[in-house]
Amino acid sequence: MAEKDLLEKGAILQRDKETYAIAPHIPGGIVSADMLKKMADVAEKYDAQALKITSSQRIAIVGLKEEDLDDAWSELEMQPGAAIGVCVRSVKFCPGTTFCKRGQQDSVALGLKLDEKYHGMELPGKMKMGVAGCMNSCSEPAVKDIGIMGTSKGYTLMLGGSAGLKPRIANTVATELSEEEVIQYVERIIEFYKSQTSKKRLGQVIDNMGIEKFKEEVGL
């Protein structure tokens, strides 16, 4: 009987303690028809119990046997999403001005840049990011460790949100930012967080030192 997740295979142990779920990395949940066909073929071939759309904009293939994991990944020809481990778990973003009539900023372009740079990066604690193209906040930036929300005047940057056992609304630390400024600030925040020795999430780090001290340390 299986006993734990298999981090090296990107596999999450299921409730039955025998089978696993895998979730290929799909930046922003934007998926091609070919990718969907591959996932469906793998799910069918290896008798998966379900295909589940996740809150991190991935499609999990649920209920695979351990001995089938390597072959399943090989046939998918996709990288695992960082669904487990102490790292940047996800960069969630909405359709923004690429697709949505309500979009005020290009959340897809910014989200893809952040995803390419940070997805899976090891950190002292787990981290989630969200980029929204307007104030409807479909990617939930206010409950992300790093949340970015588009407005008609640029981006609003929010830090320290979470939606776990102890929910926390993120602190708004900057407004009316350009895409370039957001990228620069996120880099500073990540570098500062990487220097921390505790395993606390970003919101706990902010609460421990105070938001003004944190902003001073990061240069916000």
Side-chain angles (χ1 to χ4, degrees):
M1 180 178 291
E3 295 181 353
K4 60 182 180 179
D5 300 332
L6 300 176
L7 183 60
E8 72 281 2
K9 296 181 185 290
I12 302 170
L13 184 65
Q14 298 300 281
R15 190 177 182 87
D16 59 14
K17 305 297 184 184
E18 294 180 352
T19 64
Y20 294 85
I22 60 173
H25 184 44
I26 306 174
I30 301 171
V31 61
S32 68
D34 182 60
M35 291 163 66
L36 285 175
K37 287 176 184 176
K38 284 185 178 180
M39 283 185 274
D41 288 345
V42 165
E44 185 174 50
K45 180 175 180 179
Y46 296 107
D47 197 27
Q49 296 171 16
L51 289 163
K52 171 70 174 71
I53 298 173
T54 77
S55 61
S56 297
Q57 301 179 316
R58 302 178 182 124
I59 300 174
I61 304 174
V62 180
L64 297 178
K65 299 179 180 66
E66 183 175 353
E67 59 267 25
D68 292 330
L69 294 174
D70 289 338
D71 288 339
W73 279 121
S74 178
E75 291 172 34
L76 285 169
E77 299 180 308
M78 299 169 69
Q79 295 298 312
I84 51 180
V86 184
C87 62
V88 177
R89 295 281 188 90
S90 62
V91 182
K92 186 175 183 178
F93 48 94
C94 72
T97 54
T98 305
F99 302 110
C100 181
K101 66 180 180 180
R102 295 181 176 83
Q104 294 182 309
Q105 299 294 334
D106 192 352
S107 54
V108 171
L110 178 54
L112 286 171
K113 289 176 183 177
L114 294 173
D115 182 274
E116 182 178 3
K117 187 170 184 178
Y118 296 114
H119 173 254
M121 177 182 283
E122 292 187 6
L123 294 172
K126 74 175 181 179
M127 174 175 283
K128 297 182 180 182
M129 300 185 190
V131 187
C134 81
M135 290 182 286
N136 281 345
S137 294
C138 293
S139 54
E140 304 160 336
V143 289
K144 297 290 188 289
D145 298 271
I146 297 178
I148 301 149
M149 181 180 70
T151 73
S152 61
K153 296 182 179 181
Y155 289 103
T156 296
L157 178 62
M158 297 175 279
L159 302 176
S162 63
L165 182 62
K166 297 180 180 179
R168 185 186 191 280
I169 299 297
N171 297 90
T172 297
V173 297
T175 60
E176 299 183 18
L177 300 176
S178 67
E179 180 182 287
E180 292 74 19
E181 288 173 320
V182 170
I183 291 171
Q184 291 171 8
Y185 284 150
V186 170
E187 184 173 1
R188 291 186 205 170
I189 293 158
I190 293 290
E191 288 305 310
F192 176 79
Y193 186 52
K194 284 169 67 176
S195 71
Q196 302 301 296
T197 56
S198 73
K199 295 183 179 180
K200 293 179 170 61
R201 288 186 69 170
L202 187 62
Q204 294 173 293
V205 172
I206 292 172
D207 287 339
N208 287 345
M209 66 190 306
I211 185 61
E212 294 306 321
K213 178 63 175 176
F214 179 88
K215 289 168 64 176
E216 180 183 334
E217 291 285 341
V218 176
L220 291 171

